[in-house]
Amino acid sequence: MKTSDFYFDLPQELIAQDPLEDRSSSRLLVLDKKNGDIEHHIFRDIVDFLNPGDCLVVNNTKVIPARLFGVKEGTQAKIELLLLKRKEHDIWETLVKPGKKARVGTRILFGDGLLTGEVIDVVEEGNRLIRFHYEGIFEEILDQLGQMPLPPYITHQLKDKNRYQTVYAKHDGSAAAPTAGLHFTPELLKKIEEKGVNIAHVTLHVGLGTFRPVKVEDVTQHHMHSEFFFIEEDQAELINETKKQGGRVISVGTTSCRTLESAAAEDGRVKACSGWTDIFIYPGYRFKTIDALITNFHLPESTLLMLVSALAGKEHIMHAYEVAVKERYRFFSFGDAMFIR
C-alpha cells in the first residue's frame, strides 16, 4: 500500500482559517460505509443519526497554550518553542526553532524572565529536552505567556483561545485539539443525551506526531509517535454495556478511536487503563470496538486519512473527499465534519 494512493487535490481556499460563530452550524457529510452512499446535512442534524442506546465517545483532553516565544540569554536571539510532552514535573520534550541556537546548556528567557528554560538534552528528530525554572504555578505562567499551537496551515490569528478547545475539555496536556469535537455545543450534547444516547469520556493527549507527514512510500514503514491516554473504570463500563445491549459505539474523532482501539481486547471489550499508544490504523485493520466515527476532513496522504479509509474503505473515502471538494466543504481543524456510519 502506497502513501501516494491517499493523495487528492485540495484547493488552498477550502482550508478553513477561522471557526464558525456557531460551532454546530458547520456542514456534515454522512457516508454509509457499507455502500458508499452520501448525504449532505448540517452538523446539528447528527442527533437524527444517533439511536437511543448508542454511546458517543469523546476525548476530553484540553489543549495547553504550548507555543512560547523567548530570547536566548546573552545574545537576545529570538527562539520559538512548542511544548510536546511532559517528561517529568518541570522537564518537557519540545520543538525549538531555530534548533541550531538551542544547544545543550542554552538558557532561554520568556516573559522578561518570568519563565526560564534550560536545554538539557537533544533527543530523536532534534527535539530538545528543556528544564523550566519559575516562581509559582507552571500552568498559570503558561496561560499568561503561551499561545495556542494552531496547525501551520492556519495563518489567521485566533481571537478567542476557547474556540480551539472542545466545550467538554477537562484534562490539560494536548499540543493540538481533537478537532471533531469542536462542532459540539452544550445545547447539542443535551439534546443527544435527552434522546437516550450515552456520552463516555476518554482522554488522549494529542501530540504533533498525529499530524506528521508520512515520508515513506510504503505505508507500513511509517512510525507513529506515542501519545498518552487513559480510560476511567466507569467510562469503560459504559462503553462495554453499550456493546452488550446492542448499541453502537460512535467515536468522536480519530483520537477517541485510537484510544478505544488501543484499550480494547480482541472481543471488543474496553478495559480501564492508562499508558502510551503508537497505534497506526490503516486499511486492512480490523476494528475491535468502534462502529461509527465522527471526524473532520484530513490532509492528503496523512495517517488520519488512512485511518478513516480503514473504517469505510479507501474507495468510499476517496470518492467522498472528491465530492466534498466539489461541494466546497471546508477542510481541516476549523472545517466541516463527516459522519461515517
Side-chain angles (χ1 to χ4, degrees):
M1 192 183 319
K2 294 182 180 154
T3 301
S4 53
D5 293 340
F6 297 89
Y7 178 78
F8 65 93
D9 197 26
L10 180 69
Q12 193 74 19
E13 68 270 16
L14 294 187
I15 299 172
Q17 290 295 329
D18 302 289
L20 297 179
E21 202 163 317
D22 172 9
R23 291 172 182 259
S24 64
S25 65
S26 51
R27 294 163 77 191
L28 178 69
L29 185 148
V30 179
L31 172 66
D32 188 313
K33 65 180 188 285
K34 292 189 182 75
N35 57 25
D37 285 355
I38 288 170
E39 294 176 31
H40 302 285
H41 294 270
I42 299 299
F43 190 81
R44 66 178 75 91
D45 298 341
I46 193 73
V47 181
D48 303 333
F49 295 95
L50 305 176
N51 306 322
D54 284 345
C55 184
L56 209 55
V57 183
V58 302
N59 180 7
N60 63 8
T61 187
K62 195 171 188 181
V63 187
I64 57 172
R67 180 162 271 131
L68 288 162
F69 296 91
V71 293
K72 185 174 172 179
E73 191 178 62
T75 67
Q76 297 298 296
K78 288 181 180 173
I79 290 183
E80 182 184 338
L81 204 72
L82 188 63
L83 303 177
L84 299 177
K85 258 184 220 169
R86 186 174 230 151
K87 303 300 262 186
E88 288 171 41
H89 185 55
D90 286 326
I91 297 175
W92 285 76
E93 184 177 335
T94 68
L95 186 64
V96 180
K97 285 189 210 169
K100 61 180 185 291
K101 288 185 180 158
R103 295 194 174 93
V104 172
T106 299
R107 284 168 62 84
I108 307 163
L109 310 178
F110 305 96
D112 296 326
L114 191 61
L115 181 68
T116 307
E118 184 189 350
V119 181
I120 58 171
D121 200 3
V122 179
V123 292
E124 62 170 326
E125 296 191 8
N127 291 347
R128 266 59 175 175
L129 283 191
I130 291 190
R131 179 183 281 118
F132 287 102
H133 305 275
Y134 52 90
E135 296 279 330
I137 298 166
F138 182 75
E139 285 72 17
E140 287 180 2
I141 293 169
L142 194 59
D143 210 41
Q144 195 179 328
L145 301 179
Q147 291 184 13
M148 281 308 207
L150 294 178
Y153 48 75
I154 293 176
T155 56
H156 291 191
Q157 201 66 36
L158 187 63
K159 294 185 185 79
D160 176 5
K161 273 185 186 179
N162 288 325
R163 291 313 312 272
Y164 193 57
Q165 207 79 271
T166 62
V167 296
Y168 44 74
K170 186 178 178 186
H171 300 290
D172 283 334
S174 272
T179 54
L182 295 178
H183 304 282
F184 289 94
T185 62
E187 297 75 25
L188 183 56
L189 289 166
K190 189 164 178 279
K191 263 190 191 171
I192 288 167
E193 285 185 305
E194 283 168 355
K195 194 172 179 180
V197 176
N198 293 311
I199 297 176
H201 295 250
V202 299
T203 308
L204 179 136
H205 293 319
V206 189
L208 292 185
T210 307
F211 307 102
R212 272 177 67 232
V214 180
K215 291 178 178 167
V216 288
E217 184 56 3
D218 177 357
V219 167
T220 61
Q221 298 305 303
H222 177 70
H223 171 65
M224 291 286 279
H225 276 207
S226 59
E227 294 164 312
F228 185 75
F229 75 94
F230 61 90
I231 301 176
E232 306 281 6
E233 190 75 53
D234 59 337
Q235 303 303 297
E237 275 175 28
L238 187 56
I239 295 159
N240 292 333
E241 192 57 29
T242 298
K243 287 294 245 192
K244 197 172 152 190
Q245 299 299 331
R248 293 174 302 167
V249 172
I250 299 161
S251 175
V252 175
T254 55
T255 60
S256 300
C257 167
R258 292 173 62 245
T259 304
L260 291 173
E261 294 297 315
S262 298
E266 283 307 312
D267 65 358
R269 279 183 64 78
V270 172
K271 61 182 181 294
C273 58
S274 68
W276 296 85
T277 179
D278 61 357
I279 190 170
F280 179 20
I281 297 173
Y282 52 86
Y285 178 85
R286 189 182 66 79
F287 287 86
K288 302 191 283 275
T289 299
I290 80 156
D291 301 296
L293 175 71
I294 295 168
T295 185
N296 278 21
F297 290 93
H298 307 295
L299 278 79
E301 301 185 329
S302 62
T303 59
L304 305 178
L305 185 57
M306 292 169 193
L307 184 153
V308 295
S309 296
L311 183 64
K314 189 171 84 71
E315 289 71 25
H316 289 340
I317 287 292
M318 298 313 277
H319 174 63
Y321 270 57
E322 204 179 297
V323 170
V325 169
K326 192 168 147 233
E327 295 291 331
R328 315 287 294 169
Y329 273 73
R330 298 161 80 246
F331 275 68
F332 307 161
S333 297
F334 289 140
D336 295 316
M338 177 191 265
F339 179 40
I340 301 171
R341 60 175 178 147

